Amino acid sequence: MELEVRHLRALCAIADTGSVRKAARQLGMTQPSLTTQLHRIEKALGGQLFFREPTGSRPTPLGHSVLCRARPIVAEMRALVEDIASVSVREEGTRLRIGSTNSPAVAGWLRRLRTRLPETDTTIRTDVSANALLHMVAMGQLDAAFVHEVEGAPLRIPDGLVCHELLAREPQFLALAESHPAAAHPVVRVADLAADQWMVDPTVDGEWAGLRRIWAAAGINPRVVHGDYLTAVDLVMAGEVVTPCQPTARSRPGMAIRPLHGDPLAVRLFMACRADGPPAASAGDLFADLTAAYAEIAWASEAYHDWLVRHGGLLATGRQGVRGL
């Protein structure tokens, strides 16, 4: 087997994310495929490149040596592709690449961007991992990303990114079956859900840590099912699980969305871009469109609307912060 740039890119992704699973998602591969590829690379190089640990993967001494040689090659290849792409953009038109963790506000954001920039080729990349999206912005694969940071579980924000804060603290609500006894109340207490089975997506950065924190504070240790939140919708409506959700989530027949008492689970919402800014529009314009899209979907959500009325509306800060400059 001869090593190719894609193999070196895979090794860098595993090292950067600290996990084969996260690296596979970033590369657009399945985890088994990347694991098989890693085994072949290790066989070709004659040694183990990563220690596999419960917390993830970290380079072995041989892995460090290989990565030191691989990173400049991957960087040079990326620069070559970007230089060629920039020439194509200048010849064919302007391009804008945005990313987001899953949010109902994204559709409205895209609609506003297309209206503001009709001659721009605007594309969207979604990912459950905010850290992966931030890394893509830092590496020039995205121009801006709208992400959330779970309270108590800080993201790894790369140096040189400018963060425009939309909300310092967005409360996370709970989705449960309409037939659930707790759904009869306007606000749900975490302690009242001790006997319920909770569904958690462990691939969402910080989610698992945030939930364990609020369970500990409520003195409960519920049963947990790991899965994605698209699957969770059907299980919630069937009364099999309860699960955290965004306050802007759209309710469906058979499902109720309720705030948690005291708002113990929250996230920070912000848009990140590089310090040199997106090529197609100013960061201020991108953020203004995002803010308007979020406000639209927030006030349209019945449960969130009621919460906002009680708490004095959207508490947007508009703060900016630059990491590593």
Side-chain angles (χ1 to χ4, degrees):
M1 170 183 169
E2 292 188 1
L3 287 183
E4 302 174 13
V5 174
R6 64 187 178 93
H7 298 139
L8 303 182
R9 188 178 296 115
L11 297 180
C12 292
I14 296 171
D16 291 340
T17 62
S19 162
V20 173
R21 172 176 53 79
K22 291 183 179 180
R25 187 187 309 115
Q26 179 178 304
L27 295 167
M29 303 172 61
T30 64
Q31 182 174 339
S33 295
L34 182 55
T35 299
T36 299
Q37 187 176 96
L38 176 58
H39 289 329
R40 289 175 178 169
I41 295 171
E42 290 178 327
K43 183 176 181 180
L45 294 176
Q48 184 177 349
L49 300 179
F50 292 92
F51 293 116
R52 281 71 159 181
E53 300 174 340
T55 56
S57 300
R58 62 183 178 88
T60 63
L62 175 60
H64 278 295
S65 178
V66 172
L67 287 165
C68 286
R69 303 289 294 273
R71 289 190 188 280
I73 297 172
V74 172
E76 284 296 322
M77 182 58 68
R78 183 183 297 113
L80 172 63
V81 172
E82 289 177 354
D83 287 346
I84 294 173
S86 65
V87 172
S88 298
V89 168
R90 286 195 296 270
E91 293 177 348
E92 302 174 8
T94 309
R95 190 174 52 163
L96 178 64
R97 302 157 301 174
I98 62 173
S100 177
T101 46
N102 294 324
S103 168
V106 168
W109 191 23
L110 273 174
R111 185 179 71 249
R112 286 170 171 80
L113 289 175
R114 295 193 196 283
T115 300
R116 183 191 295 277
L117 307 166
E119 302 301 320
T120 298
D121 178 18
T122 303
T123 59
I124 178 73
R125 165 72 180 263
T126 62
D127 199 301
V128 296
S129 171
N131 280 313
L133 291 170
L134 293 174
H135 178 76
M136 293 179 72
V137 175
M139 299 304 293
Q141 297 167 332
L142 292 174
D143 299 307
F146 172 44
V147 300
H148 70 274
E149 180 179 61
V150 178
E151 194 169 65
L155 296 173
R156 299 185 299 274
I157 302 176
D159 290 344
L161 293 192
V162 180
C163 298
H164 301 258
E165 188 175 88
L166 176 64
L167 279 182
R169 197 172 193 272
E170 180 198 63
Q172 299 301 282
F173 287 3
L174 192 81
L176 65 169
E178 276 186 337
S179 58
H180 194 292
H185 304 287
V187 177
V188 176
R189 293 179 179 273
V190 175
D192 292 339
L193 303 170
D196 286 277
Q197 186 167 243
W198 291 63
M199 176 166 267
V200 182
D201 187 344
T203 64
V204 178
D205 294 327
E207 192 89 344
W208 183 227
L211 284 171
R212 285 186 298 182
R213 177 177 56 79
I214 69 167
W215 292 335
I220 68 173
N221 185 27
R223 293 170 295 154
V224 176
V225 174
H226 289 162
D228 65 88
Y229 287 137
L230 290 177
T231 305
V233 171
D234 292 330
L235 293 176
V236 166
M237 291 189 294
E240 292 294 327
V241 300
V242 299
T243 191
C245 67
Q246 300 173 51
T248 52
R250 184 180 305 169
S251 184
R252 307 187 185 193
M255 182 173 72
I257 295 178
R258 298 288 184 268
L260 291 169
H261 179 74
D263 303 317
L265 186 64
V267 301
R268 180 171 75 103
L269 301 178
F270 64 93
M271 184 192 82
C273 59
R274 293 184 304 282
D276 54 4
S282 72
D285 286 342
L286 291 183
F287 186 64
D289 286 338
L290 173 59
T291 301
Y294 181 85
E296 178 183 53
I297 199 72
W299 288 108
S301 168
E302 182 178 352
Y304 199 16
H305 179 282
D306 293 344
W307 186 95
L308 290 170
V309 169
R310 293 197 306 272
H311 291 80
L314 290 170
L315 304 177
T317 65
R319 291 187 299 170
Q320 298 181 18
V322 183
R323 178 65 178 259
L325 293 182

